[in-house]
Structure formats: C-alpha cells, structure tokens
Amino acid sequence: MTDHSKRKRPEDLRSHRWYGVKDLRSFGHRSRTAQMGYHRSDYAGKPVIAIINTWSDINPCHSHFKQRVEEVKRGIWQAGGFPVEMPAMSLSEPFQKPTTMLYRNLLAMETEELLRSYPADGCVLMGGCDKTTPALLMGAASMDLPTIFVPAGPMLRGNWNGQTLGSGSDTWKYWAELRAGNITEEDWQGVEDGIARSPGHCMTMGTASTMTAAVEALGMCLSGYSSIPAPDSRHAQMATLSGKRIVEMVWQDITPSSLLTAASFDNAVRTVLALSGSTNAVVHLIAMARRCGFPLDLDRFDNLARSTPVLANLRPSGKYLMEDFYYAGGLRALMVQLGDLLDTTQQTVDGRTLGENIAGARVFHEDVIRSREQALVPCDGLAVLRGNLAPDGAVIKPPAMEARLQTHTGRAVVFKDYNDMAARIDDPNLDVDADSVIVLQNAGPQGAPGMPEWGQLPIPQKLLKQGVRDMLRISDARMSGTSYGACVLHVAPESYVGGPLALVRDGDLITLDVPNRRLDVRLSDAELAERRAAWQAPPPRFERGYGVLYLKHISQADSGCDFDFLQTGQREQAAGEPEIH
Ligand code: FES
C-alpha cells in the first residue's frame, strides 16, 4: 500500500521529464506551451493533470461536459495544478453502430496511450454513458497514474402526459404497446419528446447508473456524487472538487493500484447486486478486475448474489428513477444498508476509508432505498447459469423477469442472426406460442460483432396482441441495463465460434432452471457431437482495419471481452516504462 504521509517533490513528477530538464526536447515543450499563452510560472513544478474528456456533439449524455470540464480545470488551477484537456473517443450509446461495445477496448487503449505518451502526472476521467466508464477506468488502471473519475450523472426524470418516463425501460414498454395497438402514433411521439429532457446519462438503473455506482463503490470517484442529476448545481461543484482533489492525489501518489483490490471489486459487485444493476456490469467488472490482476469470474458474481439483497427500488426491476434515488440519500445511504456485506476498510480517492465516507448517511425515502429487512428481493439479483447450452456460463436477472419462467421448458424457435430475426419475428405464420423459447445465434463478441444489446429479443407481434409480455429468450448478446424480461444473456462460448448455441434447431426442447442455475438443450452428447461435426464456421466479419485486430484478440464474455494482450502485465510495463525522450 502507498504511504500517503510521503509527498512527492516537484522533480519526482513524471512531467519533470518534459518540462523540468534542460535539453533540446524540453526547450520545445516549454516554447510550445508558451505558444498557447501559458507563462512558465503556470506549470513549472506543478502536477500536470490530464483531463480525458469524452464530450462530443453526438453524445447527449455528455453534452454538459463542455461546461463541466471548465469546472474541473478551475479546481485544478485553484489547487496548484496545470490542467490539460485531452479529448478522447466518445462512445455514444444511442448512435454508434453496430454497438459501442465494439469500441470499449479502443477507448481503453486510447486512454492508456494518451496518459503514457503525454506529460501526465495524474488524470481526471470524464465519462458516464455506458461503455465510457469501464473503458476509461481500464485504460487508467493499466497506466496506474493517480486517477479520479467524474461521473456524468443521470438526466432528469422523463415526463409524458403526467407520467414519469424512464430511459430505455419505458421505450421498450411503450414500443410493445404500440405494436400491440394499445397506443397511437401520436402517443408514441409524445413519449419520444418527453423521455430525454436534460443532459446526463440514462436515469434508470441501466448500465450507466450501474457502472458509475460501481466506480464509487470501488473508491474511484468522490464519495456520494455518482448519482447527482447532471443539471444539479451540486454536480458542477463535484467537478470542481474533483479537480482540486486530483492535484493532492498526485502529491500523495495515490494510484489506482493503491485503491483497487480484490475486496474493493467485491464491494462493487455487492453494490451492483443491491441496485439490481445492469448485467453489463458482469462483463465490465471482470475486464476491469483482470486489468488489475484480480481473477474475478462469473462464479464470484453468483456466490455474492446468493447473499446480497436487492435494496434499490429502481426501474427496470423496480419503480423509481435515479433522481428519486439521489433525493432518497443516494449510494452512500444504500451502502450503509448493506453494512457488513461490504469491506468498509477499503481506501478511496477521498483519502478516507469507505466506512469513513459513508458514516452517517441516511435514507430519506424508505420505499426507494429499502432496508435489508424490507428488501425488494432477498437475494439472487443475478444468476449465473451453466449447462450443455452454456458450458462457460450465461447470466440472467431474475428480478426483471416473470417468476413463472424461472423454471421452464419450451420448444426452440431459432434465428440464425439479427437480420433473420428482424425479417421473421412478426411473420403471422411463425410457429411460435407463449411457451416457446426464442433463440438468437451469432450475436456475441465475434458473431455480431461486438456483442450488441440485442438480448431483449422482441416478442412476436401476434403474441403481444394476445397479451404476452414475457417469454424465455436466449442469446450470446448483451442486454441494455434498462431492459427487462426472461432473457438469458452472454451465453459462452458464443455460437459464432462453435459454442453449443450454434447447434440448436427449431423444435429442440430447452430447459431453464434458475434455482439450480441450469440451462440445457435436451439433446444427447452424441447428437450434439454429430451436429458439431456438420457445423461450418461463418466467414470473418472484418477483413481490414480495427475490426481485424478486434476479432483476433477479443476474449469471450465470461472473460470480460478484453483484448488478450491488454489483460495482464500492463502495470509492470508502466512501472518499468522506458525513459521517453
Ligand atoms: Fe448514454 Fe444511456 S444512452 S447512458
């Protein structure tokens, strides 16, 4: 552990190699800094703080970052640092095709390499929209400079015709009602206009809210701030405070490796489970932990889920939205309820332990943040399934599905890829009923590619009209954290690389048994072997560019979908980084 009583000297700063030495290259660094209007007194002997900003004109979740970055800079200046904004790829969930997940590792690499190649002594990470959070943290953890995360904060509650609307969750709900003929096109447009009405990320307990909460539980952002609504003035204050704090963290040399431990990742997993957070957190936290050298795996999630109650009554599993959660006391209050399920001795960016951070936090609305006695669900906010259909695992979110489907057997209705599904799902002649099991193949990390959030497979229109609102659905895709339903996700190995999901055919009987954590197709080993022998690998999805690198190095969902060459050894490399001239 880092000795926080020791302070760095200016000549110990990493940026000293750029600004402090007397050679030809440093002449260039100083003269070009002067070219930008800075006097040497602005930076000499001061920590250079890189602000990795994922603002973009096409990312509505980060539209306030243009202003927030100025507030971060204000804090850095006030604390005696030198702020340097470094724009990075903005992974905009609503716009990027086929999926932002294809680019999570690219942003992680960009973050790491920006920090490595420029004179950064510490960094502020500005993110929030789904993949930006894990990507930024993965890159920064690998580089291991003092780091603080500034979460984008959730947008305000949606509103339409006096009804509260939640990102994603109410989109799926009203889309189903439109397809069932229960609302008009005009109603649908009203939902479109009212569901996203301020800057900030999705305000349900989707992937963004889940991952920023995980970051706070990991101790990587200022305590109590991950759930402040983006337009709230306290959000701007948090940005300035983060700028001030990172400067002190550099002098104290508080690095990610001194904060991120196996126990802090357990805290993050517990917190995500208590929030009934997005299943995407499974993939991201495994990737983040493995960057730090901790072998977090699916079984750890399942083990912790068995003793972690769901305490947050938030959509899609519950009733309320993030604005309500913040006013009810926010994450500190929830963590107080978790009590001894957390290791409160873990250190945080605040310079205090988690326990010191959350001491005294209170719940102000007991239906939003429940006590353990009044838990929304006593345990099993997430379940990891295995069986002959998912030898390396799959996940499901039991609180977000109709309970009758937790133990279910039905006939498979198989779609070989997304386009096949889109073309046939609403065919009135499709041989499907409410007990059928809808299977989507080739939607995984390599198959889609990028493992998009296609896992909430649509219910056939003819069944919607009969009133069916949930069915068992299985894929190797992910699912938006704002989604719900009996959706088995992340099936590994994926069908594209020959996992058993690729061998399922129409009419096969599939059994889901959540209490016993099983997912099986009722086929003999001999039948599966015969089908495997006849299976042909699909052609590669990419023949040039980043996609080729991606396909060659991407790991399966149970390993976090990181690139194999990034998972290990990075800290050692950073520590032994060659002198840069
Ligand atoms: Fe950005 Fe949901 S679209 S968080």
Side-chain angles (χ1 to χ4, degrees):
M1 169 157 299
T2 309
D3 179 356
H4 295 164
S5 64
K6 288 202 180 129
R7 291 180 71 81
K8 276 188 177 169
R9 300 166 305 165
E11 55 269 35
D12 298 330
L13 293 173
R14 189 169 172 270
S15 59
H16 184 77
R17 283 157 35 197
W18 277 262
Y19 284 129
V21 293
K22 301 238 179 278
D23 62 12
L24 186 60
R25 290 299 304 274
S26 63
F27 165 87
H29 303 145
R30 288 187 295 269
S31 67
R32 292 300 182 155
T33 304
Q35 183 184 4
M36 293 184 283
Y38 297 109
H39 185 262
R40 62 179 60 82
S41 61
D42 286 328
Y43 61 82
K46 296 181 177 180
V48 176
I49 307 297
I51 307 170
I52 309 292
N53 187 359
T54 52
W55 173 87
S56 160
D57 260 339
I58 201 162
N59 192 337
C61 304
H62 297 178
S63 59
H64 54 316
F65 275 0
K66 221 173 192 174
Q67 175 63 32
R68 289 291 174 274
V69 75
E70 298 307 320
E71 287 143 358
V72 171
K73 287 178 187 174
R74 174 153 52 98
I76 294 170
W77 283 120
Q78 286 177 0
F82 182 54
V84 179
E85 185 178 351
M86 296 185 188
M89 184 182 202
S90 192
L91 304 180
S92 178
E93 201 64 30
F95 287 98
Q96 207 157 14
K97 291 184 186 290
T99 163
T100 51
M101 188 63 183
L102 187 63
Y103 301 105
R104 184 199 66 182
N105 298 345
L106 188 59
L107 175 57
M109 290 172 72
E110 185 185 12
T111 302
E112 182 179 346
E113 299 308 325
L114 281 172
L115 296 176
R116 174 170 292 120
S117 56
Y118 284 116
D121 295 305
C123 69
V124 177
L125 307 174
M126 298 182 67
C129 188
D130 288 19
K131 314 304 177 294
T132 57
T133 303
L136 291 166
L137 255 298
M138 287 161 70
S142 291
M143 192 54 199
D144 206 25
L145 298 176
T147 297
I148 197 165
F149 188 82
V150 169
M155 66 179 98
L156 299 176
R157 300 181 193 99
N159 184 278
W160 166 68
N161 280 6
Q163 307 213 38
T164 299
L165 296 177
S167 314
S169 307
D170 283 304
T171 309
W172 324 127
K173 176 179 157 186
Y174 286 105
W175 178 240
E177 297 306 326
L178 182 71
R179 291 171 68 225
N182 294 335
I183 64 169
T184 65
E185 281 292 342
E186 194 183 345
D187 291 332
W188 180 236
Q189 191 171 333
V191 173
E192 182 178 306
D193 291 341
I195 200 165
R197 61 188 186 91
S198 84
H201 61 65
C202 293
M203 70 336 224
T204 40
M205 186 40 69
T207 305
S209 303
T210 303
M211 291 310 300
T212 52
V215 167
E216 184 172 331
L218 284 167
M220 292 301 296
C221 74
L222 291 179
S223 175
Y225 288 119
S226 65
S227 46
I228 308 178
D232 195 305
S233 58
R234 286 167 286 193
H235 192 271
Q237 294 167 27
M238 176 268 292
T240 303
L241 289 172
S242 300
K244 289 181 183 174
R245 179 64 194 146
I246 187 63
V247 177
E248 189 58 19
M249 286 174 67
V250 170
W251 291 125
Q252 295 178 333
D253 200 22
I254 301 177
T255 56
S257 59
S258 67
L259 301 176
L260 298 175
T261 64
S264 67
F265 276 101
D266 275 358
N267 285 344
V269 173
R270 289 266 196 209
T271 301
V272 166
L273 291 166
L275 291 165
S276 193
S278 165
T279 46
N280 285 324
V282 177
V283 179
H284 298 321
L285 284 171
I286 287 175
M288 290 161 67
R290 292 185 181 198
R291 286 288 183 110
C292 301
F294 306 116
L296 184 62
D297 61 16
L298 290 178
D299 291 337
R300 189 67 184 155
F301 277 85
D302 198 70
N303 285 339
L304 294 177
R306 289 172 191 267
S307 57
T308 307
V310 176
L311 302 180
N313 189 4
L314 299 171
R315 297 184 206 180
S317 297
K319 177 176 171 189
Y320 298 98
L321 297 173
M322 286 303 291
E323 203 178 335
D324 307 300
F325 182 69
Y326 181 59
Y327 302 149
L331 197 68
R332 290 173 69 239
L334 178 124
M335 288 198 277
V336 165
Q337 303 306 309
L338 282 173
D340 61 359
L341 294 176
L342 298 175
D343 180 342
T344 52
T345 65
Q346 296 303 300
Q347 294 290 324
T348 70
V349 292
D350 300 82
R352 298 187 293 266
T353 64
L354 180 65
E356 289 167 334
N357 281 343
I358 66 176
R362 288 165 49 206
V363 173
F364 300 107
H365 192 322
E366 290 175 354
D367 193 36
V368 179
I369 300 175
R370 302 286 187 90
S371 65
R372 278 159 75 169
E373 294 70 38
Q374 300 292 324
L376 210 66
V377 182
C379 59
D380 293 343
L382 181 93
V384 174
L385 309 167
R386 292 183 197 275
N388 72 355
L389 203 46
D392 292 339
V395 301
I396 194 165
K397 196 171 168 182
M401 65 190 284
E402 289 185 8
R404 67 185 172 84
L405 292 168
Q406 293 204 5
T407 307
H408 180 81
T409 298
R411 287 181 308 120
V413 177
V414 181
F415 299 98
K416 71 179 186 326
D417 58 31
Y418 186 84
N419 290 341
D420 181 31
M421 182 183 72
R424 296 195 293 123
I425 191 76
D426 287 338
D427 183 340
N429 297 319
L430 186 70
D431 185 14
V432 65
D433 60 34
D435 290 329
S436 298
V437 180
I438 300 180
V439 173
L440 175 64
Q441 298 168 330
N442 295 311
Q446 295 203 32
M451 205 184 174
E453 293 182 338
W454 293 340
Q456 191 193 27
L457 310 179
I459 293 171
Q461 193 168 29
K462 68 179 181 185
L463 298 181
L464 283 174
K465 287 184 173 167
Q466 292 167 20
V468 177
R469 290 294 182 271
D470 201 4
M471 295 176 69
L472 180 54
R473 291 160 271 178
I474 302 174
S475 74
D476 41 20
R478 294 175 301 114
M479 178 171 87
S480 164
T482 62
S483 303
Y484 48 85
C487 301
V488 177
L489 310 159
H490 308 188
V491 170
E494 65 174 303
S495 47
Y496 184 84
V497 300
L501 194 68
L503 311 178
V504 177
R505 295 176 185 165
D506 282 339
D508 290 344
L509 284 178
I510 292 177
T511 298
L512 170 69
D513 181 351
V514 173
N516 289 304
R517 305 294 201 259
R518 296 290 305 181
L519 181 68
D520 294 286
V521 56
R522 293 196 186 172
L523 295 173
S524 66
D525 290 347
E527 173 66 19
L528 282 170
E530 195 175 311
R531 290 189 189 184
R532 179 164 290 108
W535 178 79
Q536 289 193 327
R541 294 288 194 226
F542 296 106
E543 293 188 344
R544 65 171 301 281
Y546 168 73
V548 172
L549 176 83
Y550 173 92
L551 289 181
K552 193 165 170 201
H553 295 287
I554 192 73
S555 68
Q556 289 288 294
D558 59 303
S559 300
C561 296
D562 202 358
F563 290 154
D564 51 11
F565 61 89
L566 293 173
Q567 278 189 329
T568 56
Q570 298 304 297
R571 283 191 170 162
E572 292 70 21
Q573 182 184 321
E577 193 181 322
E579 187 74 13
I580 299 171
H581 294 290

